[in-house]
Amino acid sequence: MTTMGALSAYVVANQAIQTADILQLPPSNLRRELQHPPCRFHVKQPTHIFQILATHGRNQKPRMSAFAVPDENNKAEMGSSHDDPVLVLSKSNKSSKDPDVKVVASSSHSQANFCPNSEQTGSQGILDKLKAVHLHVLASEQWNASLLKLCHRNYLVSATNLVHYLALKCLDLEQLNEDLSSVGLLNLETVNSHILASLTAAIRLLETLKLNSLNTKENIGPRIDTQNRIDQLKNEKFTIHTMKKAFSDGELLLGPLQHDKTTHIMVTVGQEGLGSETLITDLIKMGASIIRINCAHGNPSDWSEIIRRVKRSSQLLEKPCRILMDLAGPKLRTGKLKPGECAMKISPKKNATGNVNFPAQVWLCHKGAGPPPAHFTPDAVLFIDDQEFFSKINVGDTVRFHDIRGRKRMLKICRRLDVFSGTGYVAECSRTAYVESGTELYVKRKKLKFPIGKVVDVPSIEPFIRLRVGDLLIISRDCLCEQDELPGPTSSAPIIACSSGLLFDSVKPGDPIAFDDGKIWGVVQGTSISEIIVSITHAGPKGTKLGSEKSINIPESNIWFEGLTSKDLMDLDFVSANADMVGVSFVRDVRDIVVLRQELEKRKVQNLGVVLKIETKSAFEKLPLLLLEAMKSSNPLGVMIARGDLAVECGWEKLADVQDEILSVCNAAHIPVIWATQVLESLVKSGVPTRAELTDVASGRRAGCIMLNKGKHIVEAIKFLDGILDGSSIKM
């Protein structure tokens, strides 16, 4: 069910508002019931009623959704015993049973001659249909007036247009769009950012041109005169110019675009940004205008240093760059695995017959010298403990050592490179070697060995569990897993931790469960207070690695998370003082937005941008309500389409439609969108993009910002993406 399907037309019956159901009308009594609507109208002129009807797919079984009639002042009016208008959501169980619900608009010139299936032809018929839609849109605004009044003045125009958009999406406009196209007018599917202004312009044009003179001469009943309302709107806030200006307010969140750029580029920076003195500078130089920090990793000390480097590089390059910090949120993740051995494999590139094509490139330097220069990407980095190392070797020397297995290996010194913090050497290794901390290096001169230092700070191998289809996996509530890869099928099932008690309280046998953004799928076989047994149903042909801190998703469970965790609240203090935007992870309900708004008000940060990360099915289905709630504060607002978890939650096959619908809703609300997750991932990791990634970027140009994740070739990827997003290259 899509977001628009979840939003019913605005219901007028008292009981319907109370139960969030659309009023059911039997087909046999349809005409009689519609002639006497179940709400009170005050009409002092010949009645011209516009009915909005919901129909059911092939059966076309209608249910009344909304009524709109003009009062003596030609304003759409609705009667109800309720004082507070509400934005009604249909029940999820009813929506699931009725997936093909459509809504159609029809008009009647009097109560006596109403016929829901009557068709009008010519421009007068199109005009009447447009007026019916126009009144329905105006009525939706009035019915939700109390909700709109709660929005901050900065967002009032945008929030109202969002309500207009939702009202329009409740209608089946396929035939009307065809009629409009036949006379060369706009398609109502393309006016999301200025609904009312476009409808008004179309009505004015049809009335002025009088395209069908026959219908003009005939007296077809009392005309619904919207002229007064149209003239009133001309000088009010709902003009196309005003709407475009409201949409440009997205710069308050993301910042102004430079030169001919059409879309911002955001890059995630973690520990690798601290390991390189030049990485952040290179990212900004190549076109990144926003740096993202994930609060799920690192600590305030690391974040402060990254922010310091970003601000320094931004000033030196005279290129503005903003900071987005994502709160970790209540995400389910795998626990820590026991660290692997501290060893490094140096591998030359070989052909199919096993012969070496290219020797491995190794960077040798003192441990205080820092990483290699940005233009050189080595296969391995070896830090040497002896600071006099550089005075003992020269270009052309052969450095010898015994690897972990006791085998003799050599490094040929090829060239010397200067870096900010010292000097390093590029060496080549033509045979596979395994190096650990403490490995001694030496050179031979005149048949004598001259030690030059020991290898230090070799990182530990990232631990993982390899899972294959049919394997069992045990998720433990609290443990430190000490298993490495399983040597064979006779071994006991591997164990991995998850410290969140919510997982163990929410799943039941038969529930599907996904790991690492859906790379591994399984089915829950059994549960207890402290353990969950999972049978793996999907993994790679040779198995798939599952490591520490990887995501866990249970899409069919009714698990409930708190909006902001205790860690999020502590991190929010740092974010409020140091970042330009805060990313709110795993938003699920309006209550999450209420809590966030209260916390921001406590900290008095009205200018801190807020980015709602849409990564759950619940957030997608409630997106309009989430936006309207967030619009109650003055903080600049944006939405991130976090496609990793979103694909797992909503289904892979629905992701394309889901992301398009999010874009449409945000376009109507004048809210900038961040296009995220696996953008140009092959290019970032391997240096070569796939064709599908290129078309994905083309789709992402509709968003206000495209986000890249970290990888070996991230600098080249930003340069490549910046070229795609250049305004001059887009114009054909």
Side-chain angles (χ1 to χ4, degrees), residues 69 85 128 132 182 189 236 253 272 291 295 302 320 379 391 393 430 442 447 450 524 537 622:
V69 300
D128 285 345
S182 68
E189 299 293 334
E236 288 189 358
L253 179 77
E272 72 285 350
I291 298 296
C295 294
D302 295 338
D379 298 300
S391 63
I393 60 173
S430 300
Y442 62 92
K447 298 183 179 181
F450 292 92
V524 175
T537 58
K622 299 175 183 177

Side-chain angles (χ1 to χ4, degrees), residues 87 147-148 151 159 162-163 624-632:
L87 186 64
L147 183 63
L148 292 172
C151 294
L162 175 59
V163 171
L625 294 176
L626 298 178
L627 293 178
L628 289 171
E629 183 64 35
M631 286 176 173
K632 293 179 181 178

Side-chain angles (χ1 to χ4, degrees), residues 413-438:
I413 305 298
C414 299
R415 48 192 170 132
R416 172 175 172 159
L417 296 175
D418 293 323
V419 292
F420 282 116
S421 303
T423 304
Y425 286 93
V426 178
E428 293 182 347
C429 183
S430 300
R431 301 181 67 183
T432 301
Y434 293 86
V435 181
E436 63 182 349
S437 295

Side-chain angles (χ1 to χ4, degrees), residues 396-455:
D397 284 348
T398 299
V399 177
R400 304 171 188 269
F401 64 95
H402 290 81
D403 74 355
I404 296 175
R405 302 166 297 174
R407 297 178 182 178
K408 294 181 179 180
R409 294 292 183 261
M410 296 183 295
L411 296 172
K412 181 73 173 179
I413 305 298
C414 299
R415 48 192 170 132
R416 172 175 172 159
L417 296 175
D418 293 323
V419 292
F420 282 116
S421 303
T423 304
Y425 286 93
V426 178
E428 293 182 347
C429 183
S430 300
R431 301 181 67 183
T432 301
Y434 293 86
V435 181
E436 63 182 349
S437 295
T439 298
E440 295 186 357
L441 305 180
Y442 62 92
V443 294
K444 270 190 176 183
R445 293 192 178 97
K446 297 180 180 180
K447 298 183 179 181
L448 297 177
K449 292 183 179 180
F450 292 92
I452 60 172
K454 294 181 179 180
V455 177

Side-chain angles (χ1 to χ4, degrees), residues 367-381:
K367 64 180 180 180
H375 66 272
F376 173 59
T377 306
D379 298 300
V381 176

Side-chain angles (χ1 to χ4, degrees), residues 37-66:
C39 53
R40 188 171 301 169
F41 295 98
H42 307 285
V43 182
K44 297 182 180 180
Q45 64 178 38
T47 309
H48 188 116
I49 303 176
F50 289 93
Q51 291 107 347
I52 308 302
L53 302 176
T55 61
H56 281 259
R58 297 177 181 176
N59 296 329
Q60 296 296 307
K61 184 177 181 180
R63 298 185 296 180
M64 189 183 67
S65 179

Side-chain angles (χ1 to χ4, degrees), residues 246-280:
F247 205 100
S248 66
D249 289 344
E251 290 187 358
L252 295 175
L253 179 77
L254 302 175
L257 287 162
Q258 299 297 305
H259 308 297
D260 292 330
K261 300 297 183 295
T262 59
T263 307
H264 287 275
I265 298 176
M266 180 187 297
V267 188
T268 302
V269 174
Q271 290 293 327
E272 72 285 350
L274 301 176
S276 171
E277 288 289 339
T278 61
L279 177 61
I280 291 177

Side-chain angles (χ1 to χ4, degrees), residues 157 161-162 164-165 168 186-188 190-201 237-244 247 667-670:
V157 171
N161 191 71
L162 175 59
H164 294 165
Y165 168 81
L168 195 66
L186 80 170
N187 186 323
L188 295 180
T190 62
V191 296
N192 295 348
S193 59
H194 37 78
I195 300 293
L196 194 58
S198 297
L199 288 172
T200 301
K237 52 194 174 184
F238 299 112
T239 64
I240 294 179
H241 175 74
T242 304
M243 292 298 178
K244 287 183 177 179
F247 205 100
N667 185 39
H670 309 144

